Amino acid sequence: MSTSARPVRRSRPEGFPENGPAPELIESGFALENADAAFLHHGLNLADLAHVLDLARRGIIPADARRALLAALLDVVEIAPEDFPYDPAYGEPYNSRERYLVSRLGDVAGWLHAGRPRREAARVALRLHLRAQLADLVRLTVGTVSDIVDRAEEHAATLLPDQTYLQQAQPSTFGHYLLSFAYPAVRDARRLLDELDGIDTSPGGAGCVNGTRLLDDRDPVAAALGFREVIPHTRDAMWQVDGLIHILATTSSLLSNFSKVAEDLEIFSSSEFDFVDLDDAYSRSSILMPQKRNPYSLAIIRGASGVVIGRLTGFLAVTKSPSARSDNLIFAYGEVPRALDLSQRITRLTGGVIRTLRVNPERMREELDRGYTQATDLAEHLVGLVGVDYRTAYVVVGNAVRQASRSGIPGNAITGAMLDEAAMAQTGRGWGLADVDLADVLDPRSIVASRQAEGGAAPAALTAMIAGLREVLVELGAAADQRTAGFAAAEAALLESARASAVEPAG
């Protein structure tokens, strides 16, 4: 085949578009990105200042341009995001910022692009915003867990028929029940601190995928912005999403835990249970039915948990695309900050509900007294007393409970004679229990007092857990405060350097 007969490959257009965006693109894409501008605004300001100072340090940007650009950026720092002229007609938020700076400085604004794409600036800004949110969420979680621990201590002796599957299980205390939600929240707070370590790393100097010839050292920008370190691989620095997935997963876990206690409290506050009452400030009246006090705050907690789970699954669906795709992160600019913001609100709300909750110990004891939560302890007692295997004791006690229930006899009134009758039916012989005093074995308070092993509901075990949790909470709160203080100090130092450099004459 001759060369002239070969098909000629169509020439595809190269270079940036010459025409403006279509109205549909503005409405469906750029409008969405600009709706997230408030999350990035302050971080973009700091990222731009750090970049210009780094260019100046390297002698890349002329002194006049440096002073003019820093002065303009410092002015933008003082503009609230809602007052800045972000306009989707110009593209994403960075484009609006560029247009604003060009309108003030002309081509001098172009120095801001030296060695840095707009996506890098947005990546830096997102991390600056998220690290502050994460530290704040840890602090709020510490506060809510403290509320839980305080109420647990208050109700360490308040007897409760603890439940599984909404069926009475064993005698416990309301304090012990509450602490079961403290530990998962503490674990999530630790995870949030771990994720904060990952987010508090700098993508600065990464370029698009492989850095830039203008910057041979990425550490100065990281230091100026108060990042712990740089992300070591430039392509990974620009396009990684696993840390964002982890944040959404942990916030989902945190709110799922709060949703569980909210669902329980909604049941416990019903007229059928009447174990607790929500404070008026966390309830809402029915417009139609005068007698109703709806546990509105609990519905908010439960619903928010579902919303954050949706954000996690939605973001996972987006990020399963090939690598180095903008869609992986375009949606992250809004989805992750909004998930954290909602989690902060719900964590505060959960603390308020717990802190003001009214508890009805009489109703809890009433249910204990008419139920059969003693059955497990009774079967275990018979294992030692009679010397039978637990399975046999389980069946005998179960049959005795069934008969007592049919006869309207509560669990604390089961007698040795009733157990003998059940044993005779099951094993063919009586166990000689007719004159045995079972009062202590059947007493819920004695049962709770017997749970002295670590993690149990006995007073000493509960006291130890409370003390341990309070130590951990102090540690977690101090870690969050220290990180926040470090971020604030780095920002203050950056702004001070920018102000000084904005008026500094040429070398």
Side-chain angles (χ1 to χ4, degrees):
M1 182 177 181
S2 67
T3 303
S4 60
R6 290 176 183 165
V8 177
R9 183 175 179 180
R10 181 180 67 85
S11 175
R12 61 187 301 276
E14 301 286 353
F16 55 81
E18 294 181 319
N19 302 317
E24 296 87 351
L25 179 59
I26 293 172
E27 294 170 2
S28 61
F30 296 140
L32 292 176
E33 289 200 65
N34 277 266
D36 301 333
F39 300 125
L40 303 178
H41 179 76
H42 190 59
L44 286 170
N45 292 333
L46 299 180
D48 287 350
L49 289 171
H51 182 59
V52 173
L53 288 173
D54 193 40
L55 294 175
R57 185 184 67 84
R58 299 174 192 277
I60 294 173
I61 184 173
D64 289 344
R66 177 247 302 163
R67 288 194 297 270
L69 195 47
L70 287 175
L73 288 171
L74 287 167
D75 287 343
V76 178
V77 168
E78 301 301 320
I79 302 175
E82 61 271 18
D83 296 328
F84 190 84
Y86 289 111
D87 188 339
Y90 304 136
E92 62 189 85
Y94 192 91
N95 297 112
S96 291
R97 293 173 61 85
E98 179 184 35
R99 185 180 181 87
Y100 174 84
L101 291 170
V102 168
S103 72
R104 287 190 53 173
L105 305 175
D107 289 343
V108 168
W111 284 104
L112 203 54
H113 305 316
R116 189 192 67 166
R118 62 187 170 192
R119 291 297 184 197
E120 181 187 306
R123 303 290 195 268
V124 170
L126 178 64
R127 287 173 177 269
L128 293 176
H129 186 80
L130 293 182
R131 73 183 187 182
Q133 284 187 299
L134 285 167
D136 191 42
L137 183 54
V138 171
R139 194 161 35 247
L140 290 169
T141 302
V142 166
T144 294
V145 176
S146 296
D147 291 328
I148 292 172
V149 170
D150 288 345
R151 296 312 302 276
E153 184 175 47
E154 179 185 346
H155 290 284
T158 300
L159 292 176
L160 166 78
D162 206 348
Q163 303 181 355
T164 63
Y165 296 94
L166 274 181
Q167 305 295 314
Q168 290 192 12
Q170 290 180 298
S172 187
T173 67
F174 192 65
H176 187 266
Y177 161 81
L178 285 177
L179 284 191
S180 69
F181 301 99
Y183 284 96
V186 164
R187 291 193 293 272
D188 281 330
R190 286 194 174 118
R191 293 183 188 104
L192 289 170
L193 283 175
D194 288 341
E195 282 141 19
L196 173 55
D197 285 342
I199 286 295
D200 192 21
T201 51
S202 174
C208 180
V209 293
N210 198 23
T212 170
R213 67 171 62 247
L214 296 179
L215 309 179
D216 58 1
D217 180 4
R218 297 170 56 208
D219 290 329
V221 167
L225 293 167
F227 284 116
R228 294 172 55 251
E229 57 190 13
V230 300
I231 301 170
H233 191 286
T234 54
R235 193 174 194 270
D236 177 55
M238 280 297 291
W239 300 102
Q240 64 173 253
V241 295
D242 55 297
L244 304 178
I245 292 169
H246 284 203
I247 290 172
L248 291 171
T250 301
T251 54
S252 296
S253 174
L254 180 68
L255 263 60
S256 176
N257 181 41
F258 294 154
S259 179
K260 286 181 173 64
V261 70
E263 292 206 36
D264 285 357
L265 293 179
E266 186 169 307
I267 294 166
F268 288 172
S269 65
S270 68
S271 57
E272 288 75 14
F273 272 76
D274 194 26
F275 285 179
V276 300
D277 285 309
L278 265 66
D279 187 81
D280 283 353
Y282 295 91
S283 305
R284 189 170 71 171
S285 63
S286 166
I287 293 299
L288 177 66
M289 295 163 280
Q291 84 282 5
K292 285 184 89 259
R293 289 175 70 252
N294 295 323
Y296 179 71
S297 56
L298 304 181
I300 296 299
I301 295 169
R302 292 168 53 217
S305 173
V307 168
V308 174
I309 291 170
R311 293 192 188 280
L312 168 62
T313 55
F315 189 62
L316 282 168
V318 168
T319 58
K320 66 178 180 58
S321 66
S323 66
R325 296 296 195 276
S326 290
D327 51 354
N328 284 357
L329 285 139
I330 286 172
F331 294 95
Y333 297 142
E335 291 300 298
V336 183
R338 285 189 177 91
L340 282 168
D341 178 71
L342 182 58
S343 298
Q344 291 168 349
R345 295 167 188 263
I346 296 306
T347 300
R348 282 193 295 265
L349 177 60
T350 302
V353 167
I354 298 294
R355 191 169 56 250
T356 61
L357 192 69
R358 294 190 294 273
V359 180
N360 190 346
E362 293 78 15
R363 272 291 300 136
M364 295 179 184
R365 182 58 196 254
E366 211 175 275
E367 286 300 312
L368 270 175
D369 288 342
R370 77 176 189 85
Y372 302 91
T373 55
Q374 310 93 333
T376 301
D377 280 76
L378 183 55
E380 291 177 347
H381 179 67
L382 293 179
V383 168
L385 182 66
V386 181
V388 296
D389 66 277
Y390 183 78
R391 180 65 185 170
T392 300
Y394 169 94
V395 172
V396 168
V397 171
N399 289 334
V401 166
R402 182 183 296 109
Q403 186 57 46
S405 175
R406 289 171 177 171
S407 303
I409 300 171
N412 58 14
I414 291 175
T415 64
M418 294 169 66
L419 292 172
D420 265 345
E421 183 180 342
M424 179 65 74
Q426 178 66 25
T427 67
R429 65 182 182 87
W431 287 352
L433 302 173
D435 296 324
V436 173
D437 183 7
L438 299 174
D440 190 58
V441 179
L442 299 175
D443 176 40
R445 194 165 296 281
S446 295
I447 291 172
V448 168
S450 72
R451 301 312 202 260
Q452 298 178 25
E454 182 177 356
L462 203 67
T463 298
M465 284 189 284
I466 288 170
L469 281 166
R470 284 187 170 138
E471 287 182 8
V472 170
L473 292 173
V474 169
E475 173 189 328
L476 290 171
D481 289 342
Q482 182 180 19
R483 300 302 290 275
T484 299
F487 302 152
E491 178 176 333
L494 173 61
L495 292 173
E496 183 179 354
S497 295
R499 292 184 186 108
S501 186
V503 296
E504 181 181 322

